[in-house]
Amino acid sequence: QLQLQESGPGLVKPSETLSLTCTVSGGSIISSSYFWVWIRQPPGKGLEWIATISYSGTPYYNPSLKGRVTISVDTSKNQFSLSLTSVTAADTAVYYCARYSYKPTNWFDPWGQGSLVTVSS
Amino acid sequence: QSALTQPASVSGSPGQSITISCTGSSSDVGGYNYVSWYQQHPGKAPKLIIFDVSQRPSGISYRFSGSKSGNTASLTISGLQAEDEADYHCCSYADITTLFGGGTRLTVL
């Protein structure tokens, strides 16, 4: 079945750029039915949607993070990536990637296992 | 837009039923039939249990059900079991964005 796996540094210094990659296995990232997303969860807090991308590369961003976030896709590697610039301690979180169905049904499934990123000097 | 509002915690005894509310606005929960719910055990990734307000994915127990009235969605778990103890997150499509609730910790007494 479809599986997603996040990868990237677990520690990022303040003001630097956080970069994560999600590798999709068990299926193709090229699909007109689904999109691909990043969602994060600060320690002990709720979930926050960060960004969405289609296989063709059309991005959608959370307005609260727009300007610092870039999402991209590499169909040749069956991967999509997240870049978050000028990070602060508030960006410390577990970052999840997931598949997204927009219409006619709306859901996130499956999710990757999550990647903890700590922002600290 | 603000996050959706959920109670921080709920509890119930085995066999009982509990309901978790998720309150938004006419721009999100009330405006679309695109509310989903996710179960999250400690240290694990969220798992889809309800989508499109009241639909259950394949493999999810009938004990989980969802509904919506106005700007408030609800998740009901009947016949509580020890394995249901987890965090539950609601989620709503909101046009240009997607909103989550703060999460509700369910304790099975």
Side-chain angles (χ1 to χ4, degrees):
Chain A
Q1 74 275 21
L2 193 77
Q3 292 185 315
L4 292 84
Q5 177 70 58
E6 306 88 351
S7 59
L11 181 64
V12 181
K13 290 182 169 56
S15 79
E16 295 191 345
T17 297
L18 178 162
S19 297
L20 293 170
T21 295
C22 181
T23 300
V24 179
S25 60
S28 175
I29 202 169
I30 299 175
S31 171
S32 58
S33 299
Y34 302 115
F35 294 78
W36 308 93
V37 304
W38 287 98
I39 293 166
R40 70 181 181 179
Q41 184 175 32
K45 296 188 178 181
L47 300 164
E48 179 183 32
W49 169 71
I50 301 171
T52 298
I53 195 163
S54 66
Y55 79 90
S56 61
T58 303
Y60 306 86
Y61 298 113
N62 185 324
S64 70
L65 295 170
K66 199 169 183 179
R68 293 202 297 136
V69 180
T70 303
I71 189 171
S72 59
V73 63
D74 186 336
T75 55
S76 67
K77 295 181 179 179
N78 230 32
Q79 295 177 333
F80 62 104
S81 299
L82 174 73
S83 175
L84 180 65
T85 62
S86 304
V87 297
T88 69
D91 295 310
T92 293
V94 175
Y95 286 76
Y96 295 100
C97 58
R99 180 179 60 173
Y100 174 49
S101 172
Y102 169 48
K103 285 185 176 179
T105 59
N106 189 275
W107 41 259
F108 299 104
D109 183 70
W111 298 54
Q113 67 182 29
S115 179
L116 174 61
V117 179
T118 301
V119 178
S120 174
S121 56
Chain B
Q1 285 167 292
S2 302
L4 308 176
T5 300
Q6 297 181 236
S9 63
V10 298
S11 63
S13 299
Q16 290 186 330
S17 296
I18 63 94
T19 297
I20 299 172
S21 61
C22 172
T23 302
S25 70
S26 57
S27 298
D28 38 72
V29 174
Y32 308 92
N33 286 322
Y34 285 156
V35 175
S36 52
W37 290 87
Y38 301 85
Q39 177 191 61
Q40 185 179 32
H41 286 107
K44 300 295 186 181
K47 175 185 176 182
L48 176 67
I49 56 172
I50 294 288
F51 67 95
D52 293 355
V53 176
S54 60
Q55 303 303 304
R56 275 191 312 276
S58 174
I60 298 301
S61 173
Y62 68 93
R63 299 186 299 104
F64 294 91
S65 62
S67 62
K68 189 184 82 167
S69 177
N71 297 336
T72 298
S74 298
L75 171 71
T76 297
I77 308 174
S78 60
L80 270 179
Q81 300 179 359
E83 67 209 51
D84 298 332
E85 185 161 292
D87 292 331
Y88 292 84
H89 305 272
C90 65
C91 174
S92 176
Y93 174 77
D95 191 17
I96 63 170
T97 188
T98 292
L99 298 177
F100 285 94
T104 298
R105 172 68 54 86
L106 168 62
T107 300
V108 180
L109 303 170

